[in-house]
Amino acid sequence: MPFDPAHAPDAVTLAAAIAEQSPDAIVFADRDGVIRFWNDAAEAVFGWSKAEALGQNLDLMVPERLRAAHWAGFDAALASGKTKHSGKAMTTRSLHKDGRRLYVEMSFGLVRDAAGTVIGALACARDGTEAALARAAARPAAPPAAPTS
């Protein structure tokens, strides 16, 4: 069916539908690290429903041992106006609602208002646990250490 501009949704409606229906998890947090957007894919990856995640701190999905580094990076990005990894996907650890530790492939960005002011941070993610575990299993075992005299 050809595209019919007369029946196309407005840009805001289309952007909202794309974000909500993305096959990748999309999470937006405001400058205080409070989750303000959580799509269906985020629910599938992390286990928390929208109702449970919205209004919560990002610590909801960040393992405790990584929180200091997470918040240092979050604060640095807000202060500098750019992310360390510049939109490149990276594999990191995250938490599922049921307590499982996940490997997630995640990219980060900053969201700005019409005046160019950073209003929060955006993460796009997908569960990479199965692939990360398969890579780890395929690595050759380290040779035994030589005896010391």
Side-chain angles (χ1 to χ4, degrees):
M1 175 177 216
F3 177 73
D4 180 2
H7 293 96
D10 64 81
V12 172
T13 302
L14 179 60
I18 290 168
E20 189 57 52
Q21 297 171 38
S22 169
D24 288 336
I26 299 177
V27 178
F28 169 77
D30 64 20
R31 292 184 63 89
D32 295 322
V34 175
I35 298 167
R36 301 296 178 195
F37 182 86
W38 184 269
N39 71 352
D40 289 342
E43 187 171 331
V45 170
F46 301 108
W48 301 95
S49 71
K50 278 187 197 84
E52 293 169 313
L54 293 175
Q56 297 298 313
N57 185 283
L58 286 169
D59 286 348
L60 182 77
M61 53 193 265
V62 179
E64 190 170 340
R65 69 180 183 82
L66 299 178
R67 288 179 185 162
H70 162 79
W71 290 113
F74 186 88
D75 292 339
L78 293 179
S80 70
K82 54 187 168 188
T83 62
K84 179 179 179 181
H85 300 286
S86 215
K88 295 177 186 168
M90 57 179 276
T91 301
T92 189
R93 297 304 302 260
S94 192
L95 291 175
H96 190 276
K97 178 183 178 180
D98 67 11
R100 283 182 292 137
R101 292 189 180 197
L102 306 171
Y103 287 92
V104 290
E105 296 169 6
M106 202 172 263
S107 58
F108 304 94
L110 297 175
V111 178
R112 299 172 188 276
D113 65 13
T117 303
V118 174
I119 59 170
L122 167 75
C124 297
R126 60 179 54 173
D127 188 348
T129 304
E130 192 174 304
L133 294 176
R135 283 191 303 272
R139 281 189 211 121
T148 57
S149 324

